[in-house]
Amino acid sequence: MTTTSSRARPVEPGRLLGGPEHRTVLRLLAWMAAIQRASRQHPRIRQWAAPLVCAALGVPGLLDSVAGADPGLPVALMVMIGFTVPLLARDRHPFLVFAVVTTFSMAEAASGVLTYAHFLAQLIMLYNLARFAPPLQLAVAVAVAVPQTIVTIMMFAPDRRIERIDSPLAVTTDLVLCILATAGLGLAGRVARSYIAALEDQAVRLELERDQRARLAEATERARISREMHDVLGHTLAVVVGLADGAAGLAETRPKQSADTLRIIADSGRGALADLRRLITGSREEGPHKTPFRPQPGVGDLGALLERIRAAGPDVGLHTAGDLTGLPAGLQLAVYRIVQEALTNTLEHAASDTTVRVSLIAEHDAVHITVEDTALRPRDHLREGGGQGLLGMRERAVLYQGTVTAGPDSAGGWSVRAVLRPTPLTKTGPDAQPA
C-alpha cells in the first residue's frame, strides 16, 4: 500500500510567478509586502508619521509669523492645523481629507504664505487615493491638484516671493510630474497589493486542492485494498471451509483423497497470504534473494479457480467465446474477480452438489459474463440484495462502463450477469494495470 501525506507543503511564490526569470519582480513584491506587514504591525506610527512630517515642514513658516511676517501667527497656525490634522483620518475618508487639505492649501497661498508642507500633504493624499479610493475620485483629485499647483506657482513667481526660482516653468513642470508620478506610484502599489493577494489566495487554493487530492487518493487506495481483501479472503475462506468439510468426511474412508484435499487447502491459503502481502506492502521486494510477487490474476487463471471450486463440491462448467486472452490486464482482473465473487456466493449460500455454469463471451465492444447455479437462496439472502460482494462487482464494472445484475433466474436458480467494455472510464484507476 502506498501512503500519501495529507499535509501538503506550502506553495513557493517563485513557482507561482513562473520561475527564476521573475526574481526581480518577486523581490519587489516581497519588499512591498514587507512594507505592508510593517504598516499593519505598527498602525499608529503610520497614522501619525505623515502629519508630523508635514508639520515639521511648516515650522519655518510659523517662525516667520512669530517674527512678524504676514499673515501673522494665528492664521499661519490655523492653516498648518488645517492641512496636517485631517491626515489622521486619511484612511477612513480619503477623498474628503484631500478636499480639506486642498482647501487649506489654497487658503495658505491666498494669505501670502508658501511652504512645502501643503504640497507634501497633497501628495500623501493623492497616493492614498490611488491606493484605496475608486479611480474616479483619483481622476478628480489629479484634475484639481494639477491646475492648483500651476496657479499657485504663477501667483508667487512674478514678484519673486518664491526664493531660488530661476525658471517658474521648470518648477511647475517638475511639480506636475511629481503629482502624476505619485498617482502612478499609488496605482502601482494598488495593483501590486491585488497581485500579492491573488498569489496568496492561489497558494491557499493549491494547498487545499493538494490536501484534497491526497485525502482522495488515500480513500481510493483504502477502498481498493478493502475490495481486494474482501475478494481474496472471502473466496479463499469459502473454498477452505468447503474443502475442510469434505476432508473431514473422507479422513477415515478415503485417506488419500483427504490428503489431496488438505493440500489444496494449503495451496489456497498460501495463495491468499501472497495476495494479502502484495496488497499490504504495495511494492515488489528487491534484492537478489527476494522472490517477486505474482501478478494480478487474469482470464488465464480461471482454470485454477474453477478447480478449487470443484474440489469444494459444486460441479462447475466453463464456456468461452472470443479472444479473452487479448483483453487488457485490468479488464481481465475485473472479469476474474467478478467470476470469483459469484462462485464464492455459490459456495456460501448453495449446497455442495450445486451445478454452476460460467459463460464468458468477448465481443469487439464488450465482454459478457454469466454465472448461473441451480441452488435457491434463503429468503434472508434475497432480502439483502447482494451485500459487499455485489457492491464490489458493481464497482469493478463501473470502471469499464459496465453493469452487474444478480438474482433468481427463471429456472429457480441464481444468476449473476455482467457486461464490461474494453475502454475503461479512467486509465489511471487502481485496477488499470497489473500489480
Side-chain angles (χ1 to χ4, degrees):
M1 173 181 177
T2 57
T3 58
T4 306
S5 174
S6 60
R7 179 68 177 174
R9 292 182 298 176
V11 178
E12 299 178 3
R15 295 181 60 186
L16 295 178
L17 287 175
E21 65 273 12
H22 295 91
R23 288 176 182 172
T24 302
V25 177
L26 181 59
R27 281 195 293 267
L28 177 60
L29 291 176
W31 176 73
M32 298 184 72
I35 294 178
Q36 290 183 6
R37 286 195 299 270
S39 177
R40 289 194 297 265
Q41 292 172 357
H42 307 284
R44 291 188 177 276
I45 295 177
R46 175 185 175 277
Q47 184 181 15
W48 284 90
L52 290 177
V53 172
C54 291
L57 291 177
V59 169
L62 290 178
L63 295 179
D64 291 341
S65 298
V66 171
D70 292 333
L73 180 61
V75 175
L77 184 60
M78 183 183 65
V79 170
M80 176 182 290
I81 292 175
F83 58 69
T84 55
V85 175
L87 293 178
L88 295 174
R90 64 187 184 277
D91 291 339
R92 296 188 299 273
H93 309 287
F95 191 74
L96 178 60
V97 173
F98 172 80
V100 172
V101 169
T102 301
T103 300
F104 276 94
S105 65
M106 293 172 63
E108 182 190 47
S111 65
V113 178
L114 186 63
T115 65
Y116 291 108
H118 81 276
F119 186 69
L120 178 60
Q122 276 189 313
L123 291 181
I124 291 173
M125 289 314 304
L126 283 173
Y127 180 81
N128 211 52
L129 285 169
R131 288 289 304 274
F132 306 109
L136 180 60
Q137 293 184 3
L138 175 63
V140 172
V142 173
V144 171
V146 170
Q148 182 208 353
T149 301
I150 296 174
V151 171
T152 301
I153 297 298
M154 293 307 165
M155 285 175 54
F156 280 80
D159 54 1
R160 310 292 292 178
R161 280 185 289 175
I162 302 179
E163 298 180 356
R164 295 184 295 276
I165 290 185
D166 297 327
S167 175
L169 180 59
V171 173
T172 303
T173 302
D174 292 341
L175 293 179
V176 170
L177 291 177
C178 189
I179 290 173
L180 298 177
T182 301
L185 182 62
L187 288 175
R190 185 174 193 162
V191 172
R193 186 182 63 174
S194 301
Y195 190 47
I196 291 173
L199 288 177
E200 292 175 350
D201 291 342
Q202 185 179 2
V204 171
R205 286 197 304 272
L206 288 175
E207 290 187 32
L208 290 176
E209 292 174 1
R210 188 177 298 174
D211 290 343
Q212 291 172 354
R213 286 196 299 269
R215 288 192 292 269
L216 180 61
E218 290 178 354
T220 302
E221 183 73 1
R222 285 194 295 268
R224 183 188 72 84
I225 292 176
S226 176
R227 184 173 63 243
E228 290 286 338
M229 291 183 68
H230 173 272
D231 291 344
V232 172
L233 290 179
H235 168 74
T236 302
L237 290 177
V239 171
V240 166
V241 169
L243 291 174
D245 289 340
L250 297 173
E252 295 181 358
T253 59
R254 299 179 183 178
K256 183 178 184 303
Q257 187 174 355
S258 175
D260 293 339
T261 303
L262 292 176
R263 278 191 289 270
I264 296 175
I265 292 175
D267 292 339
S268 299
R270 279 191 292 268
L273 287 175
D275 289 339
L276 289 177
R277 186 175 62 169
R278 172 180 54 78
L279 288 174
I280 294 173
T281 59
S283 61
R284 295 181 181 274
E285 295 182 350
E286 298 178 356
H289 302 292
K290 301 292 184 178
T291 302
F293 298 132
R294 65 180 183 182
Q296 291 275 37
V299 175
D301 298 294
L302 286 175
L305 172 65
L306 299 186
E307 286 298 327
R308 289 196 299 270
I309 299 297
R310 293 189 187 103
D315 179 19
V316 184
L318 175 63
H319 167 72
T320 62
D323 184 14
L324 293 170
T325 58
L327 297 176
L331 182 56
Q332 290 196 38
L333 174 63
V335 171
Y336 181 91
R337 292 302 189 197
I338 290 174
V339 173
Q340 181 187 53
E341 180 60 32
L343 294 175
T344 301
N345 287 337
T346 298
L347 287 177
E348 291 176 349
H349 301 285
S352 59
D353 58 349
T354 300
T355 300
V356 185
R357 293 292 176 262
V358 179
S359 174
L360 302 178
I361 301 175
E363 299 177 349
H364 70 281
D365 60 345
V367 177
H368 299 268
I369 305 170
T370 304
V371 180
E372 298 175 318
D373 62 52
T374 59
L376 287 173
R377 296 297 189 269
R379 290 183 179 270
D380 59 346
H381 181 72
L382 295 177
R383 287 197 300 267
E384 290 174 3
Q388 292 297 323
L390 182 57
L391 178 61
M393 288 190 286
R394 285 173 176 166
E395 288 178 350
R396 293 185 185 278
V398 167
L399 291 175
Y400 291 91
Q401 308 177 64
T403 57
V404 174
T405 58
D409 56 24
S410 58
W414 190 269
S415 65
V416 175
R417 301 179 186 276
V419 179
L420 308 181
R421 290 172 175 80
T423 303
L425 288 176
T426 172
K427 296 182 179 179
T428 59
D431 299 330
Q433 297 294 336

